């Protein structure tokens, strides 16, 4: 998958992060490298099928009210 | 009395305190002096000098009255800066939380306090536990105590350094993919990640909740076991160190990696020889999916981190830098955190969810199945703790494959919720410590520590 600056800007918006144009160029390199690194998982056969959408877990490990600004 | 690197063992200190060869105040003063003498290593973000002295004086009074003291009475323990200690700054070494104090104790802190341990300070770490070098901390890097031009490892680099210099006899860290075991290996101390859930994570600032685990660093396996007894609810906490039956250790050809240094490979062979000498039998096991473990860890941990850190906006949670959420998050997070948040969001959202996140869950399950099959044939798995000894401060990680792959062995235990330990075993040609890594079966934490003790004999 080709990582474009437009795509990165969409992701940054979802993450509520701002980057300079230079940082986007650097991030594009990071994404290209990371996506190449994770390709190896596609060589591993898996039969796992999710019955419903699984979301990454949210923690309940700390009382976040105690880390308020 | 001098606590140096050779006698900085929990059992020695405990005996001296119990036998009244040294007083609590006298002992804690030695450790505080060690902190001051090694300030340039930057391993502490906060030293609880006043509280530690107050607690030591209280213990001296109680001991003189003949009162029963807790199991860790007077034992100085350092705490990683992502574990909440009531009234103390809990910054995760991020500008986003710098100066913000915790209003309650983490479960592990409650247990240490109840056991009369002395909390000596908070230790430096990679920002939000994201890193393997301790260079992403907002307080600056920790220096490796063995060679100050090198990293101590991370993310619990401050805790490993604090134990090594004899400023405490044990430290708490957190381990999401090797963050206790890798710095322990680089600094020459024991680093232990328990079975997932064996120690409560309540009160730590989460990075990737399905992988995070509070763990223990100390000078030897006995020190780790003493703290584990207090922090866990295992009923079986003592193992006969005499081996009554043949122990089988699994090694896999899949663990071989071209980037492994010859020093590491030679050390692994020497460890194997020593274990064989003690009657251990080695068996070959297959872990064909091991090649994808690091990539799998990357996808899952980054996806979880993006969600865990989503709540920090400088408005509701975290420091406000004078702007909206995007402005605060941009100012508050360091580059490594932002990079992982971006990749994590990318892996887990909508169009990429099935391709990356769901596939990674499938690979994790497959890895767990393969590990179960391996453990049907052996008691422990053995690998190096890291592909190389501590590398230089400021190294370009992306330019060195072996640095980028430094967690490749340790992530296995996190992905499968298994206990694992790194034990120092020799040095490389530059005199840097090397660690040997063992993974045990679920809930066989004390057995694992007892077995790893063979390398300390």
């Amino acid at each position: 998958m080709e990582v474009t600056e437009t795509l990165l800007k969409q992701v940054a918006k979802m993450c509520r992060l701002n980057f300079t144009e230079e940082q986007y160029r650097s991030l594009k390199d990071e994404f290209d490298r990371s996506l190449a690194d994770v390709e190896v998982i596609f060589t591993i056969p898996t039969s796992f099928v999710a019955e419903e959408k699984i979301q990454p877990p949210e923690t309940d490990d700390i009382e976040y009210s105690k880390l308020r600004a | 009395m001098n606590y140096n690197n050779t006698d900085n063992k929990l059992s020695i200190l405990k005996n001296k305190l119990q036998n009244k060869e040294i007083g609590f105040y006298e002992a804690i003063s030695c450790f505080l002096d060690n902190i001051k003498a090694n300030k340039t290593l930057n391993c502490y973000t906060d030293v609880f000098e006043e509280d530690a002295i107050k607690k030591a004086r209280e213990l001296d009074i109680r001991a003189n009255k003949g009162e029963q003291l807790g199991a860790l009475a007077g034992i100085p323990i350092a705490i990683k800066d992502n574990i909440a200690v009531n009234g103390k700054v809990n910054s995760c070494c991020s500008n986003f939380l710098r100066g913000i104090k915790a209003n309650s104790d983490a479960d592990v802190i409650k247990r240490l306090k109840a056991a009369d341990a002395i909390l000596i300070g908070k230790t430096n770490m990679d920002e939000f536990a994201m890193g393997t070098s301790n260079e992403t901390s907002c307080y600056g890097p920790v220096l490796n105590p063995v060679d100050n031009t090198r990293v101590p490892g991370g993310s619990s680099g401050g805790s490993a350094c604090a134990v090594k210099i004899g400023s405490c006899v044990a430290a708490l860290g957190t381990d999401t993919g090797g963050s206790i075991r890798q710095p322990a290996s680089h600094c020459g101390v024991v680093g232990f990640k328990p079975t997932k859930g064996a120690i409560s994570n309540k009160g730590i600032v989460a990075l990737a909740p399905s992988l995070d685990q509070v763990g223990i660093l100390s000078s030897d396996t006995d020190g780790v076991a003493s703290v584990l007894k207090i922090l866990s609810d295992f009923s079986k906490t003592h193992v006969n160190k005499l081996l009554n039956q043949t122990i089988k250790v699994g090694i896999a050809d899949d663990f071989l990696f071209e980037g492994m240094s010859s020093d590491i490979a030679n050390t692994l062979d020497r460890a194997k020889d020593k274990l064989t000498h003690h009657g251990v039998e080695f068996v070959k096991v297959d872990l064909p999916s091991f090649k994808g473990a690091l990539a799998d860890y990357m996808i899952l941990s980054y996806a979880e981190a993006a969600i865990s850190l989503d709540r920090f906006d400088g408005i509701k949670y975290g420091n406000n830098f004078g702007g909206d959420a995007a402005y605060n998050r941009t100012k508050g997070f360091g580059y490594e955190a932002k990079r992982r948040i971006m990749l994590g969001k990318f892996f887990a959202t909508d169009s990429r969810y099935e391709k990356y996140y769901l596939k990674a869950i499938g690979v994790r399950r497959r890895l767990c199945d393969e590990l179960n099959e391996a453990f049907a044939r052996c008691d422990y798995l053995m690998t190096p703790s890291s592909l190389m000894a501590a590398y230089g401060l400021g190294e370009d990680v992306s330019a060195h494959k072996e640095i980028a792959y430094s967690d490749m062995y340790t992530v296995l235990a996190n992905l499968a919720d298994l206990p694992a330990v790194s034990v120092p075993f020799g040095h490389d040609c530059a005199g840097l410590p090397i660690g040997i890594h063992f993974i045990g079966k679920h809930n066989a934490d004390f057995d694992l520590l007892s077995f790893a003790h063979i390398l300390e004999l």
Side-chain angles (χ1 to χ4, degrees):
Chain A
M1 163 177 208
E2 196 191 348
V3 177
T4 62
E5 260 187 47
T6 308
L7 175 68
L8 288 175
K9 284 177 180 171
Q10 286 170 357
V11 178
K13 196 174 177 186
M14 285 190 282
C15 296
R16 294 176 295 163
L17 290 169
N18 301 322
F19 295 98
T20 63
E21 291 303 317
E22 193 184 336
Q23 285 171 329
Y24 273 119
R25 281 192 288 277
S26 168
L27 270 172
K28 184 184 176 328
D29 291 342
E30 295 273 6
F31 265 65
D32 287 340
R33 192 162 43 236
S34 297
L35 295 188
D37 283 344
V38 301
E39 279 292 312
V40 63
I41 67 162
F42 302 117
T43 66
I44 299 171
T46 51
S47 55
F48 174 69
V49 180
E51 287 174 7
E52 55 187 47
K53 187 164 181 175
I54 299 171
Q55 291 291 355
E58 281 197 60
T59 180
D60 59 358
D61 285 337
I62 196 163
E63 293 171 60
Y64 278 89
S65 60
K66 289 168 180 170
L67 291 175
R68 284 177 190 279
Chain B
M1 182 166 182
N2 178 31
Y3 291 107
N4 58 35
N5 293 340
T6 55
D7 66 1
N8 184 35
K9 294 191 186 334
L10 194 149
S11 56
I12 292 177
L13 177 63
K14 193 172 175 177
N15 283 338
K16 287 184 173 172
L17 289 167
Q18 281 179 346
N19 298 335
K20 300 196 173 175
E21 291 173 46
I22 186 171
F24 290 96
Y25 171 72
E26 191 185 350
I28 207 66
S29 299
C30 292
F31 289 99
L32 289 167
D33 286 347
N34 264 346
I35 294 176
K36 286 171 194 159
N38 291 285
K39 204 171 175 184
T40 53
L41 298 179
N42 200 27
C43 59
Y44 284 87
T45 58
D46 191 7
V47 179
F48 307 155
E49 183 169 1
E50 207 175 300
D51 297 326
I53 288 172
K54 189 177 167 192
K55 178 72 182 175
R57 289 197 189 282
E58 174 207 310
L59 288 169
D60 274 326
I61 292 169
R62 287 172 55 197
N64 287 337
K65 284 182 184 169
E67 282 184 26
Q68 177 83 23
L69 302 180
L72 295 177
I75 301 297
I77 297 182
I79 311 297
K80 188 176 179 179
D81 195 33
N82 60 349
I83 301 172
V85 178
N86 189 20
K88 303 297 182 188
V89 170
N90 195 45
S91 77
C92 299
C93 292
S94 172
N95 280 322
F96 225 152
L97 296 179
R98 200 166 181 160
I100 295 180
K101 293 178 179 175
N103 286 358
S104 62
D105 284 328
D107 281 356
V108 285
I109 300 302
K110 288 177 188 165
R111 288 196 179 212
L112 290 178
K113 285 182 174 176
D116 283 328
I118 297 182
L119 309 184
I120 202 156
K122 295 295 279 295
T123 54
N124 204 340
M125 57 183 275
D126 279 301
E127 182 183 17
F128 284 107
M130 292 178 171
T132 58
S133 67
N134 221 126
E135 291 173 296
T136 68
S137 164
C138 73
Y139 299 105
V142 177
L143 310 185
N144 188 303
V146 180
D147 177 344
N148 296 172
T149 67
R150 294 174 187 267
V151 302
S155 64
S156 309
S159 291
C161 181
V163 171
K164 184 64 179 177
I165 61 173
S167 65
C168 57
V169 292
L172 297 189
T174 56
D175 191 314
T176 304
S179 280
I180 286 175
R181 292 160 284 155
Q182 185 251 24
S185 170
H186 286 355
C187 292
V189 300
V190 175
F192 174 68
K193 181 201 92 71
T195 299
K196 175 79 172 170
I199 296 179
S200 169
N201 278 346
K202 187 170 168 50
I204 69 163
V205 178
L207 169 59
S210 85
L211 300 159
D212 294 339
Q213 182 55 58
V214 174
I216 304 156
L217 302 96
S218 193
S219 294
D220 61 359
T221 51
D222 188 64
V224 169
S226 297
V227 179
L228 182 63
K229 278 179 194 171
I230 300 301
L231 300 185
S232 70
D233 289 322
F234 286 116
S235 53
K236 183 187 174 192
T237 58
H238 179 74
V239 178
N240 187 351
K241 285 179 180 170
L242 296 171
L243 307 177
N244 297 322
Q245 59 188 50
T246 303
I247 288 184
K248 290 182 180 173
V249 171
I251 47 174
D253 286 341
D254 309 287
F255 292 155
L256 296 174
F257 183 74
E258 60 185 23
M260 187 188 291
S261 78
S262 57
D263 283 327
I264 300 282
N266 292 338
T267 303
L268 208 54
D269 285 340
R270 282 196 306 108
K272 204 174 155 187
D273 289 345
K274 180 161 188 172
L275 293 169
T276 304
H277 177 73
H278 281 83
V280 172
E281 190 179 301
F282 284 86
V283 295
K284 286 231 170 182
V285 294
D286 292 319
L287 283 170
S289 301
F290 172 70
K291 63 184 176 187
L294 192 58
D296 199 48
Y297 165 79
M298 202 166 124
I299 293 170
L300 294 172
S301 68
Y302 290 10
E304 292 184 26
I307 287 190
S308 295
L309 300 183
D310 201 46
R311 70 198 78 216
F312 296 109
D313 56 8
I315 297 164
K316 210 170 174 186
Y317 306 120
N319 287 319
N320 190 312
F321 294 90
D324 61 9
Y327 182 85
N328 292 332
R329 284 168 65 80
T330 302
K331 286 275 183 192
F333 290 126
Y335 181 77
E336 180 62 16
K338 284 187 265 198
R339 184 185 78 87
R340 293 197 193 195
I341 290 169
M342 285 283 287
L343 278 161
K345 187 68 87 178
F346 176 86
F347 288 139
T349 45
D350 300 337
S351 57
R352 271 91 52 182
Y353 161 80
E354 199 162 325
K355 181 179 180 184
Y356 290 104
Y357 186 71
L358 210 54
K359 176 71 183 176
I361 289 178
V363 171
R364 184 178 187 176
R365 293 195 174 187
R366 190 178 174 95
L367 265 168
C368 290
D369 290 342
E370 289 176 11
L371 282 163
N372 281 338
E373 285 171 28
F375 277 120
R377 302 189 53 220
C378 66
D379 301 292
Y380 307 101
L381 291 173
M382 183 170 103
T383 76
S385 301
S386 180
L387 275 177
M388 60 191 296
Y391 52 90
L393 287 158
E395 289 268 7
D396 179 4
V397 175
S398 62
H400 297 281
K401 203 174 179 184
E402 64 275 20
I403 297 178
Y405 282 49
S406 65
D407 284 347
M408 65 186 290
Y409 300 111
T410 49
V411 297
L412 263 183
N414 301 81
L415 288 167
D417 299 341
L418 296 167
V421 64
S422 174
V423 186
F425 191 69
H427 299 82
D428 72 357
C429 56
L432 298 165
I434 291 175
I436 297 293
H437 180 234
F438 297 109
I439 303 174
K441 296 177 183 176
H442 286 115
N443 298 319
D445 297 47
F446 283 94
D447 289 330
L448 173 66
L449 290 170
S450 178
F451 171 71
H453 172 68
I454 295 173
L455 289 189
E456 299 173 326
L457 297 173

